[in-house]
Amino acid sequence: MQCPPWPKGKKLVHLDLKGAPPRTEYLHQLIELFSRLGVDGLLVEYEDMFPYQGELKLLQATAQTPYSREEILNMQELAKSKGMEVIPLVQTFGHLEFVLKHRPLWGLRELPHCVGTLNPHTEDGYRLVMEMLRQVVELHPGVNTLHIGADEVYMLGEGEQSKQWLVSPERTVQQLFLNHVTKVAQAVKEAWPHINIIMWDDMMRDMSQDTLKASGLVGLVQPMLWDYTPDLDVDRTVSLLEKYHSAGMSELWAASSFKGSTSVYTCVLLTQRHVDNHLQWLKVASSLSAGVKLRGIAITGWQRYDHLSVLCELIPVALPSLAACLETLVHGQFSSEAQSKATEKLGVSTVEVSALERQSPVNSLFPGRRLAEVIVELDVLLNLEDIRFFERNMYVRGWFSLYQRQRKLVHPLITMQIHSQASTFLSLLQQKTEAVRVEMLGLYPESTVQEWIEEHLLQAYKTLQQRAHSLHITDRIHEEREREMTSNKVLFKWHCMVSV
C-alpha cells in the first residue's frame, strides 16, 4: 500500500557517538553524504566524546580522545553550510551510565546497582545535569533546539529517598519522573528562552491526559515518540500521539531507525527491516487526525544500546539502509523508483549491504564502502557452520573428544584432518581481520578497532587455537611413542602450523 510522502517537516539523522566515534575527516564525509541524501539536520549524542571541562572533565572518554572544541565547532559549521540544523542530545535522567559509572558520582545513583538512573532528589545531581547542559549549549552557538533525553529511567522509585517520598498516598512514580523533567526543562527555558526542548516520550506513554496537563510540561517540551520495529503498531502509535496533542503538547516528533535496533550485537543489518519500520511510520503520519502534525522525524542510528553494551553495526555497513529509508519517506513507499534513487546516490547496485559486490576503485559517493565490503565478507566467514560449530565437527566429536584426548586415544590420521581444517580457517580469519583493521583504522580510533575485532573475532580465534594447541600436544605424544617403538622407522609425523 502506498502512503502519502512524509509530511513537511525535518528529517534528522541521529549520530550516536558513545561508541565507534568517527574520526573527524570521516565525520565530515558523512555530513557531505547526508546532505546529498536530503537530510535536514543532525541529532548529535556526544556522551563522553564531548570535551567537558572543569569539574566535569572526568566524564571525558579515556579509551579514545574526545572531540576537541574546535572539531565540534567545525562540524557544526559544515552542517550549517549544507543547510542542516545541529541538535545536541544530552541525557538528563536515565541512560547516564557514562556519568554515574565514575566512583566520585556513585552517590548520585537512584540505586547503587543501577548505573544509568539519576537520583532525582539530590541538588548535586540536578546541578551536575545543568552544568552538562550549559557546557554543551555554549559550544553550540546559535543552537535553537536541545534534546534532553529522559528515556528508559529504569528503577525509578526504588531508591531509599524515592521510597520515602512515595510514602504519601497521593504521590506516584509518574509524578516523580515529571517533577524532575519539568524542573530541568524550566531551568533550560529560563537560561535560554529561545531554545526548543525535545524529550523522549516512553516514560509518559502510560500517563493520562490529566496527569500530563497538570505536569507543567505542556508548552515546555516537544515529545519525540520512538519505535524502531518493522511491525510498529500503527493504531497504538496514532493513539499516543493524539493523546499528547490533546493534553496540549502540540509540537510532536517521530523517531525511526536505520541501524542499531535489530539486536545489541548485530554486525551486518538487513535494510528491509528498517525500510519496513519507515513504511509503518508513513502509515502513522497519514492516519493522524487533521489537527495533529509532526514537526519531523529523527532517523536514529544507535551505536550501542547503552554506554556499557557492545557495539552495534558500524555506520558504513548501514549507509545503504539510511539511503533506502530516506527515499521511502520521500516516495511514500519503497518503490522501484525509491530503490533506484537510493542506489544511484550511493553508486551501488543494491541497498542490501550483504549483497554488495567488490568495487575497484571504490567510488567517492559511499564513504567507508571498502570497510562495509570487508565486514560483510568477514561476517560471511564467521557464520560458516564449519567455523561456528567447529567443536561439533564430525572429526572433533568422533575422534578428538575430551575423553579421548585425556586418555591419549586419538587417531593420528584424523588429527591431521582436524589440523588441516583449523589451519585453513585460522589463515582465512587472519587475512580478513587484517583487511578490516586496515580499513577501520582510516575511519575510527584504534580503541574502536580493537573493541570491534575482540567482540566479533576473539571467540572464533580461541576455539580454533585451542584445537591447534591440543593437536600440538598430541603431536608430541605420538612422537614419543614412535621413538619408543623404533629408532629407524617413522610411523607418523605431522606439524602444527598454528602458533599458540
Side-chain angles (χ1 to χ4, degrees), residues 269-310:
L269 56 74
L270 289 175
T271 292
Q272 188 62 54
R273 174 188 172 87
H274 297 279
V275 166
D276 288 343
N277 174 238
H278 287 79
L279 290 172
Q280 294 298 95
W281 270 113
L282 284 167
K283 293 177 185 177
V284 170
S286 65
S287 301
L288 292 170
S289 300
V292 183
K293 304 294 182 185
L294 291 170
R295 289 204 62 185
I297 185 168
I299 307 173
T300 63
W302 298 102
Q303 196 54 74
R304 299 186 194 275
Y305 275 27
D306 64 43
H307 182 77
L308 300 176
S309 67
V310 298

Side-chain angles (χ1 to χ4, degrees), residues 408-417 471-496:
K408 303 178 179 61
L409 299 174
V410 296
H411 194 301
L413 188 61
I414 299 300
T415 59
M416 291 175 66
Q417 176 68 23
L471 289 162
H472 183 67
I473 294 173
T474 305
D475 175 44
R476 293 202 301 268
I477 292 170
H478 278 287
E479 287 180 350
E480 290 172 4
R481 287 183 175 179
E482 289 168 19
R483 284 194 294 271
E484 291 174 1
M485 292 174 63
T486 176
S487 60
N488 300 316
K489 187 175 180 180
V490 178
L491 299 177
F492 307 104
K493 187 175 183 181
W494 59 96
H495 298 279
C496 184

Side-chain angles (χ1 to χ4, degrees), residues 383-430:
N383 281 290
L384 289 176
E385 288 196 4
D386 286 344
I387 291 182
R388 289 180 64 197
F389 306 115
F390 190 79
E391 292 298 287
R392 303 180 193 178
N393 177 298
M394 179 182 73
Y395 296 108
V396 175
R397 289 287 301 275
W399 286 272
F400 206 66
S401 68
L402 179 61
Y403 177 90
Q404 291 161 317
R405 295 197 305 274
Q406 288 177 337
R407 290 160 178 77
K408 303 178 179 61
L409 299 174
V410 296
H411 194 301
L413 188 61
I414 299 300
T415 59
M416 291 175 66
Q417 176 68 23
I418 299 171
H419 167 264
S420 176
Q421 289 182 335
S423 297
T424 298
F425 293 147
L426 275 171
S427 177
L428 285 171
L429 280 176
Q430 288 165 350

Side-chain angles (χ1 to χ4, degrees), residues 155-213:
M155 310 300 290
L156 182 62
E158 297 296 316
E160 286 304 314
Q161 287 182 277
S162 290
K163 287 180 178 179
Q164 292 175 16
W165 188 87
L166 290 166
V167 167
S168 299
E170 72 277 6
R171 292 175 176 174
T172 66
V173 173
Q174 290 182 348
Q175 290 174 332
L176 184 58
F177 170 81
L178 291 169
N179 287 350
H180 176 77
V181 174
T182 302
K183 184 178 180 180
V184 171
Q186 287 175 339
V188 169
K189 274 295 185 182
E190 289 173 8
W192 307 284
H194 67 285
I195 286 183
N196 297 308
I197 305 170
I198 299 174
M199 64 175 285
W200 298 118
D201 84 298
D202 55 285
M203 295 295 292
M204 300 187 292
R205 291 179 187 175
D206 293 331
M207 297 182 188
S208 68
Q209 285 187 35
D210 290 341
T211 298
L212 291 172
K213 287 178 181 178

Side-chain angles (χ1 to χ4, degrees), residues 262-483:
T262 302
S263 76
V264 70
Y265 51 80
T266 299
C267 179
V268 175
L269 56 74
L270 289 175
T271 292
Q272 188 62 54
R273 174 188 172 87
H274 297 279
V275 166
D276 288 343
N277 174 238
H278 287 79
L279 290 172
Q280 294 298 95
W281 270 113
L282 284 167
K283 293 177 185 177
V284 170
S286 65
S287 301
L288 292 170
S289 300
V292 183
K293 304 294 182 185
L294 291 170
R295 289 204 62 185
I297 185 168
I299 307 173
T300 63
W302 298 102
Q303 196 54 74
R304 299 186 194 275
Y305 275 27
D306 64 43
H307 182 77
L308 300 176
S309 67
V310 298
L311 293 172
C312 301
E313 56 268 40
L314 298 177
I315 288 179
V317 172
L319 290 178
S321 170
L322 175 61
C325 292
L326 284 163
E327 291 301 327
T328 298
L329 293 177
V330 169
H331 290 85
Q333 61 178 330
F334 193 44
S335 60
S336 56
E337 183 181 359
Q339 294 182 56
S340 178
K341 285 286 186 181
T343 54
E344 178 185 335
K345 289 179 178 180
L346 287 180
V348 296
S349 59
T350 176
V351 292
E352 286 295 354
V353 69
S354 59
L356 279 182
E357 297 177 353
R358 277 271 191 162
Q359 185 184 69
S360 184
V362 175
N363 70 66
S364 59
L365 298 177
F366 185 161
R369 171 168 178 164
R370 182 68 81 202
L371 177 57
E373 290 172 348
V374 293
I375 285 178
V376 169
E377 291 173 1
L378 185 55
D379 187 63
V380 169
L381 182 62
L382 288 171
N383 281 290
L384 289 176
E385 288 196 4
D386 286 344
I387 291 182
R388 289 180 64 197
F389 306 115
F390 190 79
E391 292 298 287
R392 303 180 193 178
N393 177 298
M394 179 182 73
Y395 296 108
V396 175
R397 289 287 301 275
W399 286 272
F400 206 66
S401 68
L402 179 61
Y403 177 90
Q404 291 161 317
R405 295 197 305 274
Q406 288 177 337
R407 290 160 178 77
K408 303 178 179 61
L409 299 174
V410 296
H411 194 301
L413 188 61
I414 299 300
T415 59
M416 291 175 66
Q417 176 68 23
I418 299 171
H419 167 264
S420 176
Q421 289 182 335
S423 297
T424 298
F425 293 147
L426 275 171
S427 177
L428 285 171
L429 280 176
Q430 288 165 350
Q431 291 172 20
K432 297 297 183 185
T433 301
E434 184 57 26
V436 167
R437 180 186 294 277
V438 169
E439 295 299 329
M440 201 180 291
L441 278 173
L443 309 180
Y444 294 101
E446 171 66 37
S447 59
T448 295
V449 179
Q450 185 66 26
E451 178 183 358
W452 193 93
I453 287 176
E454 286 192 21
E455 288 292 349
H456 290 281
L457 297 167
L458 192 58
Q459 188 55 53
Y461 269 119
K462 278 187 174 181
T463 298
L464 294 171
Q465 287 178 331
Q466 284 171 356
R467 285 299 136 258
H469 179 67
S470 299
L471 289 162
H472 183 67
I473 294 173
T474 305
D475 175 44
R476 293 202 301 268
I477 292 170
H478 278 287
E479 287 180 350
E480 290 172 4
R481 287 183 175 179
E482 289 168 19
R483 284 194 294 271

